[in-house]
């Protein structure tokens, strides 16, 4: 934890490019033991070379060096028939770096070792590898680095958010096994403008939304571009990230000159750019990636060597995200619209398409809701007699890459939920958690939700059933809140649905159900700070004819928003603004909702 203490005191300076430094040595195929271009083997075959490189950066004044393990996962090492050596190579790389760092940790200048974990050569969002396969491969790498004594773990050059998630989950699993944790740095790679996204299309808002829920300490950028091209995404992180921020750019954009990759940014130019990122934007960790040398970092140390971290003014907005971009969990004006039609429980058409296995038709329904104004898509594939896990898997694989808006996974089955979460690159919502089957079942789902950095709809249902009174709704909400937050879920990722029930029965005990729901929205928001609220609005009108349903849903949604509702599961095309409803008709529905009967009128 000394690393995190130092991070608060000064802008930490990491080393430069390992690959660039290795290429300054005239190494033969024998030096690689026949595994040409596998630099990770050099920690065994030429440890003297790797030690010299580490020492060159520490001599330049860097605070931290990265282990020579960027391609040290089984996924990459398998290409050299070295997969079975993954643990040992990472272990030895960590030992090597730690020894050199110890030699330079004098005169009160502590030097740190960061365990480098690269993205591999596979993109899980594109089906190159499963989440579990990638996570298991990372687990072996993490084990070697942690056992080797690194001070911090650093996933870097992330090209797909599922890569980052797999690495983080592997880290957290190993921390749990050994009973101790290390600081975590996660760095993604954003291509230069005009693209301005990760390789699979994620913008910086999607990256922050997907990664922020995890217990990581630093989020940042490295590789792909020089420091100038990083300014916009770094500026976004410095304004919006509650985590520390890192920037490790290349020595400018790569150029191909006579068949060689050349980086032209001079040491002074790199130092001045990183000085701006640190002093003006508030970056906490700086360093170099491809093309940066000890000379570059020596100049950076000279210019930024003793800079205290800038106090940033953060405007963090809790959000969810698709693979491509983030959506805030509260809009101004509200509500956030959750498309309800891709749900077998509520759409005959969707159910029929699923029965016919018309996957293109189902994707078209999803896109249609996106075009109609839905901000999030509710997805349910439950169908008696069918394999829900398989159906959910097929659809999520498609929607993860083909839909711009985030997903809400609607299922009661744990295996279905786990399968879906392993396929979603962004930050989804889980629909839902509740206390119907007791606290242990709720906590099992909460553990899964937090494992994948998701948000969750929490229904006010307990062992006694669905809460109908305001008092009961608030009691259940408070229980869920206390259990979930104690288990590690952040309040902003809990979305309470206080349940809506139909007013169509006319039964005396049902007359005030609308009022109870509206009151509970306001009380939950006032009592449980940070949480959001949602409703399946159309339940209020179940049993009425279609025209009445549309008007009642629209009027009820208006008053729910007034009470503090953040989001609503609705068909966006069936909701009317109040000015489009005749005043008399609007008033009839208002009186129904608020149970304003008189001796002369019901």
């Amino acid at each position: 934890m000394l690393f995190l203490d130092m991070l608060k005191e000064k802008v930490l300076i990491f080393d430069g490019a390992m690959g660039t430094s290795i290429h300054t040595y005239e190494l033969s195929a024998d030096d690689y033991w026949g595994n040409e271009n596998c630099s990770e083997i050099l920690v065994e075959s030429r440890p003297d070379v790797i030690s010299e490189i580490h020492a060159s950066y520490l001599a330049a004044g860097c605070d931290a060096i990265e282990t020579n393990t960027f391609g040290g996962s089984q996924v990459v090492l398998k290409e050299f028939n070295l997969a079975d050596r993954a643990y040992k190579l990472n272990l030895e790389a960590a030992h090597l770096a730690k020894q050199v760092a110890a030699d330079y940790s004098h005169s009160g200048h502590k030097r740190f070792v960061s365990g480098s974990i690269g993205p591999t050569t596979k993109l899980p969002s594109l089906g190159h590898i499963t989440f579990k396969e990638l996570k298991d491969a990372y687990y072996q790498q993490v084990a070697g680095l942690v056992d080797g004594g690194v001070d911090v773990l650093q996933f870097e050059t992330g090209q797909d958010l599922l890569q980052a998630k797999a690495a983080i989950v592997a880290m957290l699993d190993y921390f749990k096994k050994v009973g101790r944790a290390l600081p975590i740095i996660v760095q993604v790679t954003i291509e230069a403008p005009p693209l301005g996204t990760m390789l699979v299309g994620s913008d910086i808002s999607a990256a922050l939304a997907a990664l922020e829920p995890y217990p990581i300490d630093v989020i940042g950028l490295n590789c792909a571009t020089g420091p100038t091209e990083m300014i916009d995404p770094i500026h976004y992180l410095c304004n919006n990230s509650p985590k520390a921020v890192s920037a490790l750019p290349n020595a400018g954009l790569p150029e191909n000159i006579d068949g060689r990759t050349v980086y032209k940014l001079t040491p002074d130019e790199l130092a001045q750019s990183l000085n701006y990122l640190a002093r003006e934007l508030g970056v906490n960790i700086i360093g170099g990636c491809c093309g940066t040398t000890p000379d570059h970092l020596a100049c950076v140390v000279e210019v930024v060597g003793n800079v205290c971290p800038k106090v940033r003014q953060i405007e963090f907005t809790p959000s969810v995200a698709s693979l491509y971009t983030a959506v805030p969990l509260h809009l101004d004006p509200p509500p956030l619209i959750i498309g309800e039609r891709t749900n077998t429980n509520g759409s005959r058409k969707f159910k029929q398409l699923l029965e016919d296995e018309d996957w293109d038709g189902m994707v078209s329904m999803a896109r249609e809701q996106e075009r109609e104004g839905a901000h999030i898509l509710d997805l349910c594939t439950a169908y008696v007699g069918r394999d829900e896990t398989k159906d959910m898997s097929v659809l999520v694989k498609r929607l993860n890459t083909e839909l711009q808006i985030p997903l809400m996974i609607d299922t009661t089955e744990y295996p279905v939920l786990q399968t879906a979460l392993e396929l979603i690159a962004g930050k989804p919502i889980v629909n839902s958690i509740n206390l119907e089957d007791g606290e242990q079942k709720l906590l099992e789902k909460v553990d899964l939700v937090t494992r994948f950095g998701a948000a969750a709809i929490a229904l006010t249902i307990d062992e006694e059933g669905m809460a109908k009174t305001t008092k009961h709704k608030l009691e259940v909400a408070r229980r869920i809140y206390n259990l979930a937050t104690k288990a590690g879920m952040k309040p902003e990722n809990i979305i309470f649905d206080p349940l809506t029930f139909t007013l169509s029965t006319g039964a005396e005990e049902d007359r005030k159900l609308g009022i109870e729901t509206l009151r509970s929205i306001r009380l939950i928001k006032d009592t449980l700070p940070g949480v959001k609220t949602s409703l399946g609005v159309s339940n209020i009108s179940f049993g009425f004819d279609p025209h009445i349903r549309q008007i009642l849903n629209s009027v009820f949604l208006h008053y729910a928003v007034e009470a503090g509702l953040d989001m609503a599961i609705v068909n966006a095309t069936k909701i009317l603004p109040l000015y489009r409803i005749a005043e008399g008709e609007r008033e009839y529905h208002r009186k129904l909702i608020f149970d304003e009967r008189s001796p002369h009128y019901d």
Side-chain angles (χ1 to χ4, degrees):
M1 293 300 105
L2 180 59
F3 177 85
L4 296 180
D5 293 336
M6 288 294 292
L7 195 59
K8 295 174 184 176
E9 294 181 11
K10 72 184 295 285
V11 174
L12 294 180
I13 301 175
F14 275 44
D15 60 6
M18 173 61 72
T20 299
S21 298
I22 288 174
H23 290 152
T24 64
Y25 291 79
E26 295 183 0
L27 301 178
S28 68
D30 289 340
D31 289 312
Y32 288 90
W33 287 350
N35 300 288
E36 193 171 358
N37 294 323
C38 180
S39 63
E40 288 70 27
I41 199 68
L42 295 175
V43 300
E44 289 188 347
S45 64
R46 291 297 304 271
D48 58 313
V49 169
I50 304 303
S51 292
E52 283 182 18
I53 293 170
H54 286 325
S56 68
Y57 285 114
L58 293 174
C62 293
D63 299 301
I65 53 175
E66 297 180 38
T67 55
N68 180 38
T69 54
F70 181 78
S73 73
Q74 291 175 328
V75 174
V76 178
L77 293 175
K78 185 178 180 180
E79 298 173 9
F80 302 95
N81 295 315
L82 295 171
D84 60 337
R85 303 278 294 281
Y87 173 82
K88 189 169 186 290
L89 286 173
N90 282 276
L91 182 76
E92 293 187 8
H95 283 156
L96 195 66
K98 284 291 288 184
Q99 181 57 57
V100 180
D103 293 341
Y104 280 82
S105 290
H106 48 67
S107 302
H109 189 180
K110 167 69 177 175
R111 312 299 183 99
F112 300 99
V113 172
S114 183
S116 172
I117 300 172
T120 78
T121 55
K122 309 292 183 184
L123 299 170
S125 284
L126 300 186
H128 297 168
I129 191 172
T130 68
F131 180 90
K132 185 179 185 304
E133 288 169 338
L134 188 56
K135 183 263 297 179
D136 290 347
Y138 280 138
Y139 186 88
Q140 290 299 317
Q141 185 174 16
V142 167
L145 292 170
V146 173
D147 292 355
V150 298
D151 302 294
V152 57
L153 289 173
Q154 179 176 344
F155 171 79
E156 56 184 344
T157 323
Q159 300 159 337
D160 180 348
L161 291 171
L162 273 177
Q163 294 169 336
K165 287 185 177 185
I168 295 168
V169 170
M171 295 176 197
L172 298 178
D173 284 353
Y174 196 68
F175 293 166
K176 187 174 182 179
K177 178 186 177 182
V178 298
R180 63 189 181 90
L182 296 181
I184 297 174
I185 300 170
V186 178
Q187 293 174 162
V188 298
T189 292
I190 300 288
E191 302 295 327
L195 191 60
T197 66
M198 295 170 65
L199 185 61
V200 295
S202 308
D203 67 17
I204 193 63
S205 74
L208 178 59
L211 298 173
E212 188 279 331
Y214 287 100
I216 63 177
D217 302 284
V218 182
I219 180 172
L221 270 64
N222 78 295
C223 206
T225 74
T228 302
E229 296 80 13
M230 279 188 179
I231 287 177
D232 285 347
I234 288 293
H235 191 272
Y236 179 89
L237 290 178
C238 288
N239 283 346
N240 295 278
S241 172
K243 316 281 188 182
V245 176
S246 62
L248 281 70
N250 293 342
L253 291 172
E255 297 182 35
N256 190 310
I257 300 177
D258 298 329
R260 295 186 307 112
T261 301
V262 176
Y263 296 89
K264 292 186 174 180
L265 200 70
T266 67
D268 183 64
E269 288 170 335
L270 178 68
Q272 293 306 320
S273 293
L274 292 181
N275 185 44
Y276 171 77
L277 296 183
R279 294 180 190 269
E280 300 300 323
L281 299 189
V283 170
N284 305 90
I285 293 175
I286 56 175
C289 202
C290 302
T292 57
T293 66
D295 288 342
H296 283 91
L297 272 300
C299 195
V300 172
V301 169
E302 184 177 346
V303 175
V304 202
N306 294 297
V307 174
C308 294
K310 179 182 178 181
V311 178
R312 292 183 278 124
Q313 301 300 316
I314 303 300
E315 296 180 8
F316 174 65
T317 303
S319 303
V320 289
S322 65
L323 172 64
Y324 303 109
T325 194
V327 172
L329 284 173
H330 178 84
L331 292 183
D332 191 13
L336 201 71
I337 300 298
I338 302 172
E340 66 178 355
R341 298 206 310 281
T342 43
N343 187 320
T344 48
N345 292 320
S347 169
R348 287 198 204 98
K349 180 180 178 181
F350 187 72
K351 193 172 184 179
Q352 184 61 55
L353 290 171
L354 181 61
E355 188 175 16
D356 296 338
E357 298 192 357
D358 184 351
W359 308 109
D360 289 339
M362 286 180 276
V363 171
S364 293
M365 280 192 72
R367 287 175 170 166
E368 183 180 21
Q369 289 182 87
E370 183 177 23
R371 287 193 300 271
E372 291 169 351
H375 303 104
I376 297 169
L377 189 79
D378 184 58
L379 180 64
C380 177
T381 59
Y383 193 129
V384 175
R386 291 189 60 86
D387 186 338
E388 186 183 354
T389 301
K390 180 181 177 182
D391 290 339
M392 181 65 80
S393 177
V394 171
L395 267 178
V396 170
K397 283 178 183 177
R398 293 280 303 268
L399 297 176
N400 183 54
T401 56
E402 295 185 42
L403 208 64
Q404 294 290 321
I405 59 176
L407 294 176
M408 183 161 82
I409 302 304
D410 194 338
T411 181
T412 59
E413 302 300 321
Y414 188 97
V416 178
L417 180 58
Q418 180 170 346
T419 297
L421 292 176
E422 289 181 353
L423 294 168
I424 297 173
K427 177 183 174 182
I429 301 174
V430 170
N431 188 11
S432 59
I433 60 174
N434 61 68
L435 286 165
E436 183 177 14
D437 297 316
E439 294 183 355
Q440 187 56 42
K441 288 293 183 182
L442 176 131
L443 290 173
E444 287 174 6
K445 270 198 175 180
V446 167
D447 182 63
L448 190 61
V449 169
T450 54
R451 181 175 178 81
F452 288 93
I457 300 283
L459 303 177
T460 51
I461 305 174
D462 64 6
E463 298 86 346
E464 298 177 14
M466 294 183 285
K468 291 190 173 183
T469 66
T470 302
K471 180 182 177 182
H472 192 189
K473 291 175 191 287
L474 182 59
E475 287 174 353
V476 177
R478 187 181 279 114
R479 273 184 70 196
I480 292 175
Y481 179 90
N482 290 338
L483 288 165
T485 53
K486 188 175 181 181
M489 204 167 174
K490 297 179 180 179
E492 62 261 28
N493 290 325
I494 305 174
I495 305 160
F496 280 104
D497 183 337
L499 303 179
T500 320
F501 301 96
T502 185
L503 299 176
S504 66
T505 68
E508 189 62 35
E509 63 270 19
D510 295 341
R511 292 297 186 108
K512 296 190 182 298
L513 289 176
I515 301 173
E516 299 287 354
T517 297
L518 296 176
R519 287 173 178 165
S520 67
I521 293 170
R522 185 170 283 111
L523 271 176
I524 287 171
K525 295 285 289 284
D526 290 345
T527 307
L528 306 174
V531 304
K532 305 299 181 199
T533 53
S534 175
L535 283 178
V537 173
S538 59
N539 289 337
I540 194 76
S541 64
F542 185 77
F544 286 113
D545 69 44
H547 174 72
I548 290 178
R549 293 202 72 179
Q550 183 177 25
I551 306 302
L552 182 54
N553 292 344
S554 301
V555 174
F556 184 68
L557 178 58
H558 170 81
Y559 288 107
V561 168
E562 278 194 351
L565 187 72
D566 298 289
M567 56 196 78
I569 304 174
V570 294
N571 180 342
T573 65
K574 300 294 185 182
I575 295 297
L576 297 173
L578 291 194
Y579 74 85
R580 290 184 55 190
I581 304 171
E583 184 177 353
E585 192 169 18
R586 187 172 69 222
E587 182 65 7
Y588 293 145
H589 288 83
R590 188 195 67 78
K591 287 183 176 182
L592 175 63
I593 293 166
F594 289 96
D595 191 28
E596 293 185 0
R597 288 175 284 173
S598 71
H600 307 293
Y601 174 76
D602 186 346

